[in-house]
Every structure is written in C-alpha cells, then in structure tokens.
C-alpha cells in the first residue's frame, strides 16, 4: 500500500531542494543586516566610501537573493505537490505561520528590495536607510515565521486531533507562537546567518587586500564584519538550539542519538566529545567523555537525567500499544460517528495516535500488530545515530573555530584598523566555505534527527507523501537536479565575476572617491 | 447568531481567496504579461532593457501575491492545497520551473554583455510569463470540469488523472483566456510605463489581446452550457467540522449556470469581464493609459469572479467520485484557524497596500533609455 520508493524519492527531493535553498538563505540573513549597518554609518558620517560599500555588497546580496527567492518558491510548492497528506493533516496549524510569513515579512522584503537597488537617487538618505533596515528586519521576520512552522514539526504544541475532519487542528495559536523549540531555533538560525554574512565579507575583503586593491574599502568592511561576526559566532554556539530539544519526548530521542547515548546516565550526564558509535551493538567505542557537560547543556540543571536511546525505545513501546487503541477507536468513530465509547477511548489515547500509525508500515489494520511488530516499530523511532553523531560534532567544531577566528579578527581589526598579517588574510579566504558546511550540517541534524516523523510523534514520514507515481517524482527529481545545477553554475560564475571586478567597476558614481586605493 | 460563526467565516475566506487571487492577477499579472510581450515589443537591446526595467523594481513584490495566495490556500483550505498541488503534479512542477526563471532572468540578464546570453534570458523570461499564465488558466478549466480524485476513510486521496489528461479542449480554452487577458494587462502597463516605440507596439498587441479575451471568454461561456456542472443534492449543513465525505453530489449539464438564475446580480461578473476588456481595448487604442490599465484590471476581476461564482459553493469538484468534491462547507480549516488568519489579513493587508503604493509612487515616471542608463542597478 505504501511505496517505500515513493517515500524515499520524495524525501530525497525535499532534502536536496531544501539544502539547496539553504545555501542562499544564511547569506541573505547576514548580509541584509550588514548592509543596513554599513548604510547607517554612511548616513551618520556622510562619508561616501560607506555608500560605496553598501552598494557593492548590495550587488552581491542581489545575486544571492535572486536564487534564495527562486528556490524558496519550491519549498512552498513541495508541501502540496509531494507531501499532500501531510498538508491536509496539519495544514490547519502548519499553514498559518507560512501564510503570515508571506503577509507580514516576505511581502515587505520583496516589495522594498526593489527600492533598495533602484531608490538611491529617488529617496532621501534617511529614506533609503529606512528601506534598507526594513528589508533586513523583514528578512529576519521571515526566518522567525518559517522557524515557528519548523519548530512545530519538532514539537507540535497547541494542537489536537479531530476525528471528524481526520486531521490535527489548532487549539492555541499562542502556544504555537511561543513554542520554546521554535524560539531557540530562530535565535540559532539567524545567528548562523549573521556568521555566514560576516565570513563572506571578511573573505572577499581579504581577497582585495591580498591583491593590494581597494584597501580602505576592504579594511572598513572587515571592521564591520569582524565585530558583527564575533557577536554572532558567540550567539550561535551559546544559544545552540539543543537547549530546546528537551521540550518533548522525541526531542529527547534526538539528543540521545546525537550523543550516541544508548543508556540513561545518572545526572548530570557526561558529554561524548569523540567516539565511534556502533549502531549494531548499541555502544560507542573509544568514547572520550567530558563529565557533567551534556546534563548542563541539555537540561540546564545538574540533577535532571538525560534519557538514553534504549530506555526511550522501551517507553515508546507503551505509546505504540496506546496508539493501537487510539487507531482502533478512530476507525470505529469514522464509521459510526455517534459511538460515545469509541470517542472516549480515542480521546484518552489521542496523543499516542501517531505511534499507532507507525505500525502501518507492517500492517494496514494497525490493531492486529504482533508483539514483534511493535518492537520493530519502536526501534524505528531511533534516527540514524552515527550520521547525527558526526554531523553534530563537525558543526560544533566549525562553530568553535569561528569564535576563535572572530576573536582574533576583532582585536586585530579594532585595535589597529589594519587588516592583520598575510597569513590571516589567507585564513580568512580559506574559511569561506565553512559557514555553508556548518549550516547544512545543522539543517541535517535538526531534520534527520526528527525521523521517522514529519510531525514529531504525530505523523510518520512514510504516511505523509502525496498519492503520486514514482515515475512522476523521478521526472521532477531529475528536472530539479539538472535545473538547479545549471542555476548554481550561472550564479557562481556571476558571483566570481563581480567579486573579481570589485567595487570600482560597478559603483560608478563613487568611482572617483576615496575607495580607490 | 454570531457574525463570525463558522459558516460565515467560510464564506469570508471564500471571498478572501478571491481577493488574493484577483490581487495576484492584477499585480503579478501585469509583469507576467510584460514578460510575454517582452521579446515582441523590444527589437533591440536598448528597447528590451526599457521593457525589463518597467517591471524590474516591482515584480518581486508582485509575486508575493502568488506566494501569499498559495500560503492562504494552505492555511485556510488545506485539503484543496493538497489535492490541487499533488493532483496537478507535473503541471505544478512546470509552473514552478517557469517561475524560478524569473528572479534569475531579471537579475542576471543584463549582468553580462553577450548578445547570446541576453537573447537566451529574454526568451526564458517569456517562458516564465507565458507558461504560468497558460497553466493557471488550464487549472481553472480543469476545476470547472472536475478532477479525477476520491478519498478513502482516512481522507487519503486517490488520484487517477495524468498530465496530458489536464490538456483537454475546455481547459486549454481557459488557458488561452488567461494568456490573452494577462497579455492585455501587461500591454496596459507598458502603455503607462514604457517609452516609445515600446509602448506603441505594446498598445497595438494589447488591443488584439483584449479583443481575444472577449471572444474566448464568450466562447467559454457558451461552452459551459454543455459541460456538466455539479450540484449538492439534499440538505447540507454549513457549520460542521470539515469532512468532504458526508454529501451527495449530482453532475448536471449546465449546472454551473444555475447560480445566475437564482441570483441574477451575479451576472455583473461576466458583464464586467467583457465590458472591462472592451474599455481596455478602446483605452489602448486612444492612449488613455490610466483608463486602459484600470479597465483591464476590472476585466480580470470580472473574469475571475465569474469562475468563482459559477462554482460556488464548489471549490474543486471530483469527476471520479462527485461525493468527494471539495466545497466551501467541507474543505476549510478549523473555525479558530480561519479567525486567526482573518485577523492577520485585516491587520497586515492594509499595511501591504500602503507600502506597495509608496513604492510605486517613488518609482513613478516613464522608463526611457536615459533612465535605464542613468542607474547602474538597471536590469
């Protein structure tokens, strides 16, 4: 009944298009605020070089922004095209932040971004600055609403199942908005975007300095990026969104998987800094553990235990049995809406309905599952431990590296207003890919760690797909790969060309000013 | 009886869906139409850059009407979103690819001097305007005919159509209506914003497009007498939890016209569609640029309202199992979600309109070769 191939292809397509979209988003988030800061300095000091900086970084922002917008459209379409059952099952809640994002944030951003590029000679200085800030703020508000939607997938609060409409329905918008997982994700994600923007400006400026051109331009750009980057790199690590993971049962599974923690440890749990998770034997070899650290990070306390994978799996078996009761009652209610006994049973077990649905992989009727199938389904609730373990550690390592890098940059740049020694410029150029790598790793940890669910504990991924043919998904998937690869080539070509040309060629009105070194 | 009860909220959201789709057609419609006209009204690079820069600074905001429209369907009519987007799978992917060409096309075309590079992007922008205009019309035509889906007990959809099954004669006619009216609309925009000779060429094509809109729309109107419409049989409650499986639906030829017999005022919609297009044609011919644009916008209001009013209360009928058809009374979100979304729209839509108006005022004036050359941000 459920085609594994359809599920896997749909997941692959969503993952590829989301990761591709997420190549452009962090830079948009970071650069939009950096542009606003640079232009603020221009308006306050009246020095034309700051205007030239805003315009030049704005050109690069524009090349990146175009693809961010283009690939964002794919994300909105795909919920409907490839995840139709998901859309109708949770659209009542999930659609709300997406629609408000369009209304409140994306509209503002997209309408005013035209004025950012075309309004320089049509608006007053302050007027244009207001437009730039509005674009930056709207970009960040966009991220807020998208992460409220995403946070709800990780921790579905403020909603309840309605058997009459056969879907989840909103019970409290307030709970959805103030979802702690969403709030933590927002801060973490925009901080990561700011780091990306800062590293981008540092790297391109270092390139100019290494070529010995646009020295004043590059040094000032670095001064802004270094201070902004230091604050952002601290924030992205300190306010990592692991703090939100303990909010729900399944987030606990994610933490346990990230830590490859097979058994519950006495509080406060130690943090496994390094090791080799062995999924088959359920143990971690050569583990290097830092006492207390995980307990402190994950629970913000020293006396709350962090549960291990095996303990969570056993607990999930109870929830699956409860979910079977819920599903049985639901089938009765769908055929006999006035059956009060079945409605009462369903109400009592509704929060475990999703666990019952996990059994659909093994038996269409759910209620006739064997004990062996229940055990099998309970182990399905464990995500890919080894992949999460490594992805998380690489992401954190890159994050810590950025703190060191920006601390050095900040003191070097702020004290002397010189750009630092040559090796520092090479390092600045060399680390350019790292923010993208860590952003993609972070996305992978958050979303792959949510498996096997699309909505944690509510709707399994394999039930969320559309009723479409495998052939159709192959066609679209191949189309996306060819089309997106072409776009990436064109984008990189233009980006490199405009970076090589540098500020002089393309900020014509300021060409004669001090930006020429 | 509370005014904001579930039944009324459903009607309000049906109206808002219309407002958002019409908003999309008017705002994004003129830049889609401009993209369709683009390779034909500009004969050299100088003229083509004029066309591009009439919409360059504003098209991005306009496209948010589409994004918001889709988001509002997702939030307010989730099952419509699910059935329409997955049912029309390959058509939606084609629309998506065409739409993706636009941000990159506008942004990247003039960043390189090569003639092949620019000519390629010019035609890709044409595709980015023509294909969505056609397919959105085809989708409406298929909705009028009914779409081959049904639900099982858990409301999981079974869809039995194919991509080429969408391209039946009546939906193709609807697609042509859509292309013709957006081309007309784009022409009225170029009439206001572009310098000569681009504006003049656009007006001439626009007159033809307006007349084609009238002709095709009237042909479609007569065709509707012949195609089966859908009717709910018996009493059907308007305020229950959304469940499309609890009704009986009959397919009756000409049933899409019964609403006009019951409520003759609804005839205003098709009349507005025809009269608006006629006035747009005459305005274009006489260079009444503002009049032509407004008349063309009214024509869009008329044509789109005609489709919506004919089908009410149906939103997406099922030809495979008419009882599974999705209507205003059984495809909406929960009462609470509809209320929260209404609050969001009432608060933010006026703000959107205010800053959109501000942007157009700042950017007012014709785009000429001089203005294009004066600004190095120009596309």
């Amino acid at each position: 009944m459920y085609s594994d191939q359809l599920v896997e292809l749909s997941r692959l397509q969503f993952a590829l298009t989301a990761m591709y979209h997420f190549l452009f988003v962090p830079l948009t988030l970071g650069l939009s605020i950096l542009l606003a800061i640079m232009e603020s300095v221009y308006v306050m000091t009246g020095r034309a070089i700051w205007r030239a900086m805003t315009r030049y970084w704005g050109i690069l922002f524009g090349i990146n922004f175009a693809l961010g917008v283009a690939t964002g459209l794919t994300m909105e379409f795909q919920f409907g095209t490839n995840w139709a059952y998901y859309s109708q099952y949770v659209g009542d809640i999930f659609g709300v932040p997406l629609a408000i994002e369009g209304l409140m944030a994306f509209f503002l951003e997209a309408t005013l971004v035209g004025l950012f590029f075309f309004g320089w000679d049509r608006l007053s200085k302050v007027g244009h600055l207001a437009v730039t800030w509005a674009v930056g703020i709207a970009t960040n508000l966009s991220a807020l609403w998208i992460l409220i939607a995403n946070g709800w997938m990780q921790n579905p609060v403020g909603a309840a199942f309605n058997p009459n409409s056969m879907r989840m329905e909103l019970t409290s918008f307030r709970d959805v908005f103030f979802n702690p997982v969403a709030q933590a994700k927002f801060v973490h994600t925009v901080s990561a975007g700011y780091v990306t923007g800062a590293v981008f400006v540092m790297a391109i400026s270092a390139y100019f300095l290494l070529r010995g051109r646009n020295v004043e331009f590059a040094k000032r750009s670095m001064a802004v990026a270094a201070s902004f980057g230091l604050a952002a790199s601290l924030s992205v690590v300190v306010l990592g969104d692991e703090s939100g993971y303990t909010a729900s049962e399944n987030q606990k599974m994610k933490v346990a998987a990230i830590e490859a923690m097979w058994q519950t440890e006495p509080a406060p749990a130690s943090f496994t800094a390094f090791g080799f998770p062995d999924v088959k034997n359920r143990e971690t070899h050569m583990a290097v553990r830092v006492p207390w650290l995980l307990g402190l990070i994950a629970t913000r306390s020293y006396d709350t235990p962090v549960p291990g994978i095996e303990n969570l799996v056993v607990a999930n078996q109870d929830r699956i049995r409860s979910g079977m009761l819920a599903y049985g009652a639901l089938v009765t209610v769908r055929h006999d809406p006035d059956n009060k006994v079945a409605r009462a049973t369903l109400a009592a077990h509704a929060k475990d309905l999703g666990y019952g649905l996990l059994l659909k992989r093994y038996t269409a009727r759910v209620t006739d599952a064997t004990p062996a199938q229940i055990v099998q389904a309970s182990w399905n609730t464990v995500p890919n431990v080894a992949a999460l373990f490594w992805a998380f550690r690489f992401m954190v390592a890159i994050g810590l590296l950025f703190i060191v890098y920006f601390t050095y940059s900040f003191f070097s740049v702020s004290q002397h207003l010189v750009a630092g020694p040559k090796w520092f410029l090479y390092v600045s150029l060399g680390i350019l890919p790292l923010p993208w790598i860590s952003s993609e790793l972070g996305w992978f940890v958050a979303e792959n760690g949510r498996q096997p669910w699309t909505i944690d504990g509510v709707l399994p991924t394999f039930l969320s797909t559309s009723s479409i043919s495998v052939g159709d998904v192959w066609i679209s998937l191949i189309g996306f790969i060819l089309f997106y690869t072409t776009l990436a080539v064109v984008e990189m070509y233009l980006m490199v060309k405009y970076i090589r040309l540098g500020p002089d060629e393309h900020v014509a009105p300021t060409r004669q000013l001090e930006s020429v070194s | 009886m509370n005014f904001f009860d579930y039944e009324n909220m459903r009607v309000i959201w049906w109206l808002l869906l219309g407002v958002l789709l019409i908003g999309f057609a008017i705002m994004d419609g003129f830049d889609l139409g401009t993209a369709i006209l683009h390779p034909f009204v500009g004969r050299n690079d100088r003229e083509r850059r004029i066309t591009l820069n009439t919409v360059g600074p504003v098209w991005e905001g306009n496209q948010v009407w589409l994004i918001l429209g889709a988001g509002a369907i997702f939030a307010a009519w989730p099952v419509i979103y699910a059935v329409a987007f997955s049912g029309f799978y390959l058509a939606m992917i084609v629309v998506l690819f065409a739409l993706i060409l636009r941000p990159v096309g506008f942004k990247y075309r003039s960043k390189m001097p090569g003639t092949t590079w620019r000519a390629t992007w010019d035609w890709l922008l044409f595709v980015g305007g023509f294909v969505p205009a056609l397919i959105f019309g085809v989708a409406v035509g298929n909705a009028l005919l009914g779409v081959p889906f049904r639900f099982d007990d858990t409301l999981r959809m079974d869809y039995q159509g194919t991509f080429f099954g969408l391209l039946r004669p009546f939906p193709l006619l609807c697609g042509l209506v859509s292309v013709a009216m957006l081309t007309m609309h784009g022409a009225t925009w170029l009439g206001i914003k572009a310098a000569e000779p681009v504006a003049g060429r656009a007006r001439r094509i626009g007159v033809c497009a307006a007349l084609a809109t009238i002709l095709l729309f009237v042909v479609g109107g007569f065709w509707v007498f012949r195609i089966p419409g859908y009717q709910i049989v018996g009493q059907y409650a308007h305020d229950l939890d959304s469940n499309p499986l609890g009704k009986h639906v009959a397919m009756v030829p000409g049933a899409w016209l019964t609403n006009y017999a019951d409520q003759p005022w609804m005839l205003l919609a098709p009349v507005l569609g025809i009269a608006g297009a006629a006035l747009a044609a005459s305005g274009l011919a006489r260079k009444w640029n503002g009049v032509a644009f407004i008349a063309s916008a009214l024509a869009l209001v008329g044509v789109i309202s005609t489709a919506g009013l004919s089908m009410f209360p149906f939103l997406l009928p099922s030809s495979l199992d008419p009882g599974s058809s999705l209507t205003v009374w059984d495809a909406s979100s929960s009462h609470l979600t509809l209320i929260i979304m209404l609050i969001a729209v009432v608060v933010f839509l006026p703000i959107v309109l205010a800053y959109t108006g501000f942007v157009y005022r700042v950017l007012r004036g014709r785009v000429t070769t001089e203005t294009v050359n004066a600004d190095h941000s120009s596309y």
Side-chain angles (χ1 to χ4, degrees):
Chain A
M1 180 176 177
Y2 302 105
S3 153
D4 277 338
Q5 210 189 347
L6 176 67
V7 176
E8 292 308 312
L9 279 178
S10 302
R11 285 185 64 196
L12 182 61
Q13 180 175 304
F14 197 89
L16 285 177
T17 52
M19 291 178 88
Y20 190 83
H21 177 54
F22 211 57
L23 290 174
F24 308 103
V25 173
L27 186 59
T28 301
L29 284 169
L31 268 186
S32 65
I33 299 290
L34 280 165
L35 292 175
I37 293 172
M38 289 175 188
E39 195 176 341
S40 299
V41 178
Y42 164 61
V43 171
M44 286 188 291
T45 64
R47 299 194 57 193
I49 188 170
W50 289 93
R51 185 174 189 266
M53 284 162 62
T54 314
R55 295 199 76 160
Y56 177 68
W57 295 114
I59 291 173
L60 304 186
F61 170 82
I63 294 173
N64 177 71
F65 185 78
L67 268 184
V69 172
T71 55
L73 198 57
T74 304
M75 302 322 298
E76 193 191 36
F77 269 51
Q78 261 191 123
F79 289 111
T81 51
N82 292 74
W83 302 95
Y85 198 65
Y86 169 95
S87 297
Q88 75 188 63
Y89 202 81
V90 300
D92 198 79
I93 308 108
F94 187 80
V96 175
L98 290 194
I100 297 181
E101 187 265 343
L103 203 49
M104 180 179 174
F106 193 53
F107 237 129
L108 183 62
E109 180 186 351
T111 305
L112 292 186
V113 78
L115 274 195
F116 171 78
F117 291 109
F118 293 91
W120 286 99
D121 302 326
R122 293 169 180 265
L123 292 163
S124 68
K125 269 188 190 179
V126 176
H128 192 275
L129 178 65
V131 165
T132 309
W133 271 108
V135 171
I137 291 168
T139 307
N140 283 265
L141 275 177
S142 259
L144 174 66
W145 287 105
I146 296 299
L147 290 166
I148 285 173
N150 180 267
W152 189 79
M153 296 169 77
Q154 319 277 350
N155 183 30
V157 289
F161 181 76
N162 180 348
N164 301 331
S165 51
M166 195 55 221
R167 67 181 179 198
M168 297 296 287
E169 291 184 352
L170 187 66
T171 55
S172 165
F173 181 65
R174 202 190 143 86
D175 287 354
V176 173
F177 186 82
F178 289 106
N179 183 351
V181 174
Q183 300 296 327
K185 272 184 169 303
F186 169 63
V187 176
H188 183 66
T189 308
V190 297
S191 300
Y194 299 163
V195 171
T196 308
V199 170
F200 181 80
V201 173
M202 292 298 285
I204 312 289
S205 303
Y207 165 79
F208 292 145
L209 292 175
L210 284 168
R211 307 288 302 257
R213 53 190 272 207
N214 306 104
V215 174
E216 292 304 310
F217 180 97
K219 272 164 42 180
R220 282 180 174 77
S221 298
M222 276 190 150
V224 176
S227 22
F228 189 64
L230 178 59
S233 60
L234 286 170
S235 151
V236 79
V237 172
V238 176
L239 303 173
D241 70 347
E242 203 178 28
S243 61
Y245 286 177
T246 46
S248 78
E249 284 304 312
N250 299 97
Q251 299 292 314
K252 285 180 188 163
M253 180 65 90
K254 190 190 279 182
V255 173
I258 287 170
E259 297 307 330
M261 193 169 74
W262 301 97
Q263 267 90 31
T264 304
E265 283 188 33
S270 63
F271 175 81
T272 310
F274 183 81
F276 293 94
D278 178 345
V279 178
K280 213 166 114 204
N281 296 314
R282 294 173 198 163
E283 58 187 332
T284 305
H285 303 299
M286 294 174 62
V288 180
R289 295 181 203 277
V290 184
W292 286 35
L293 188 59
L294 176 61
L296 294 175
I297 294 174
T299 67
R300 300 278 146 108
S301 74
Y302 52 84
D303 53 2
T304 317
V306 182
I309 293 170
E310 291 190 18
N311 312 70
L312 289 167
V313 165
V314 171
N316 285 346
Q317 289 166 7
D318 289 338
R319 298 197 68 177
I320 291 171
R321 277 185 284 270
S322 164
M324 287 164 70
L325 296 175
Y327 188 81
L330 171 62
V331 171
T332 310
V333 170
R334 291 294 295 171
H335 287 117
D336 176 13
D338 300 325
N339 189 324
K340 291 217 168 61
V341 179
R343 277 191 184 269
T345 311
L346 178 57
H349 294 276
K351 69 173 179 29
D352 295 322
L353 177 64
Y355 285 82
L357 294 176
L358 285 173
L359 289 166
K360 283 247 177 191
R361 198 177 261 281
Y362 308 106
T363 160
R365 282 185 54 197
V366 175
T367 46
D368 59 356
T370 63
Q373 288 172 329
I374 294 173
V375 172
Q376 220 175 348
S378 73
W379 275 98
N380 286 347
T381 61
V382 183
N384 185 337
V385 175
L388 289 176
F389 182 89
W390 286 112
F392 182 78
R393 269 149 196 78
F394 276 111
M395 175 186 77
V396 171
I398 294 174
L400 296 173
L401 182 82
F402 283 140
I403 294 183
V404 176
Y405 169 77
F406 278 114
T407 307
Y408 178 85
S409 320
F410 180 71
F411 286 108
S412 163
V413 172
S414 70
Q415 284 186 343
H416 318 292
L417 216 93
V418 293
K422 215 159 193 173
W423 65 262
F424 171 73
L425 299 178
Y426 280 113
V427 167
S428 300
L429 196 52
I431 62 168
L432 181 58
L434 292 185
W436 279 272
I437 293 171
S438 57
S439 294
E440 298 288 340
L441 289 171
W443 177 84
F444 174 82
V445 168
E447 307 311 316
N448 200 269
R450 194 190 61 234
Q451 300 304 325
W453 307 100
T454 42
I455 304 295
D456 229 324
V458 170
L459 185 66
T461 307
F462 71 92
L463 288 179
S464 306
T465 54
S466 299
S467 311
I468 48 180
S469 73
V470 171
D472 281 358
V473 186
W474 269 119
I475 293 173
S476 60
L477 179 60
I478 292 169
F480 273 116
I481 291 173
L482 295 177
F483 191 36
Y484 273 18
T485 306
T486 313
L487 288 180
V489 170
V490 173
E491 204 258 343
M492 285 304 291
Y493 175 75
L494 281 177
M495 200 58 128
V496 170
K497 179 187 148 84
Y498 274 77
I499 289 168
R500 285 219 170 124
L501 283 173
D504 308 338
E505 290 295 320
H506 282 272
V507 192
T510 52
R511 196 179 293 172
Q512 68 280 19
L513 297 171
E514 74 258 46
S515 64
V516 180
S517 57
Chain B
M1 277 291 281
N2 179 346
F3 179 74
F4 295 106
D5 65 16
Y6 203 4
E7 179 179 1
N8 284 351
M9 284 305 300
R10 282 170 161 153
V11 175
I12 289 170
W13 265 100
W14 176 78
L15 287 169
L16 281 177
L17 182 63
V19 168
L20 295 176
L21 292 181
I22 289 170
F24 160 69
I26 293 178
M27 299 301 292
D28 211 26
F30 76 72
D31 58 56
L32 289 169
T34 299
I36 294 172
L37 290 164
H38 173 57
F40 307 105
V41 293
R43 299 205 176 138
N44 53 44
D45 189 57
R46 211 166 37 78
E47 292 173 4
R48 289 193 173 178
R49 291 191 70 189
I50 290 177
T51 318
L52 279 184
N53 283 289
T54 63
V55 291
V58 294
W59 78 272
E60 204 139 27
N62 296 341
Q63 186 151 304
V64 184
W65 285 94
L66 172 68
I67 292 166
L68 179 60
I73 297 175
F74 197 174
W77 308 98
V79 64
I80 302 275
Y81 180 75
V83 173
F85 277 63
S86 67
F88 301 157
Y89 186 78
L90 288 178
M92 284 296 175
I93 298 290
V94 170
V95 168
L96 179 64
F97 284 6
L99 289 173
I100 290 175
L101 290 172
R102 284 155 49 80
V104 274
F106 283 115
K107 199 85 204 170
Y108 294 175
R109 177 200 179 271
S110 301
K111 288 238 183 296
M112 302 289 292
T115 46
T116 318
W117 170 275
R118 290 189 173 187
T120 307
W121 283 115
D122 286 338
W123 283 102
L124 290 176
L125 280 169
F126 167 79
V127 170
F130 181 80
V131 168
L134 180 73
I135 291 188
F136 288 139
V138 169
V140 172
N142 275 286
L144 282 159
L145 287 181
V147 178
F149 68 92
R150 67 174 156 227
F151 293 110
D152 70 8
D153 287 341
T154 58
L155 289 190
R156 182 169 278 276
M157 185 187 73
D158 173 26
Y159 183 84
Q160 306 219 332
T162 61
F163 175 65
F164 292 104
L166 297 176
L167 306 177
R168 290 169 286 177
F170 179 74
L172 281 174
L173 175 80
C174 296
L176 291 180
V177 172
S178 169
V179 170
M181 74 185 189
L182 295 188
T183 306
M184 159 186 80
H185 199 48
T188 63
W189 169 257
L190 286 174
I192 294 176
K193 287 293 284 187
E196 298 298 340
V198 173
R201 288 185 199 130
R203 285 193 203 97
R204 279 192 293 283
I205 301 175
V207 172
C208 302
L211 297 176
T213 303
I214 297 171
L215 179 70
L216 295 166
F217 182 59
V218 170
V219 170
F222 282 105
W223 203 328
V224 168
F225 278 102
R226 309 271 310 266
I227 65 171
Y230 293 73
Q231 276 176 334
I232 296 176
V233 180
Q235 287 296 311
Y236 193 47
H238 295 172
D239 55 357
L240 297 181
D241 287 342
S242 290
N243 178 18
L245 295 180
K247 63 180 176 300
H248 293 286
V249 170
M251 288 170 76
V252 184
W256 286 146
L257 299 162
T258 48
N259 279 348
Y260 298 100
D262 295 346
Q263 307 278 343
W265 62 266
M266 287 186 180
L267 285 168
L268 277 176
V271 169
L272 187 63
I274 295 166
L279 184 58
S282 127
L284 282 166
R286 285 156 217 232
K287 293 197 191 174
W288 298 345
N289 297 319
V291 172
F293 185 83
I294 292 167
S296 161
L298 289 175
L300 301 185
V301 174
V303 171
I304 295 168
S305 305
T306 303
L309 289 169
S310 305
M311 292 175 71
F312 187 89
F314 285 86
L315 290 163
L316 197 58
S318 164
S319 55
L320 188 65
D321 171 26
S324 288
S325 294
L326 299 170
T327 72
V328 172
W329 316 126
D330 54 30
S332 80
S333 280
S334 64
H335 195 185
L336 176 62
T337 295
L338 293 184
I339 288 176
I340 286 175
M341 290 292 298
L342 177 63
I343 294 170
V345 169
V346 168
V347 171
F348 288 109
L349 202 57
I351 300 175
V352 168
L353 294 175
Y355 60 66
T356 303
F358 165 75
V359 167
Y360 281 85
R361 205 175 63 82
V362 170
L363 295 167
R364 68 189 176 276
R366 259 181 214 281
V367 176
T368 64
T369 300
E370 288 70 42
T371 63
V372 170
N373 288 338
D375 188 345
H376 71 265
S377 299
S378 294
Y379 292 142

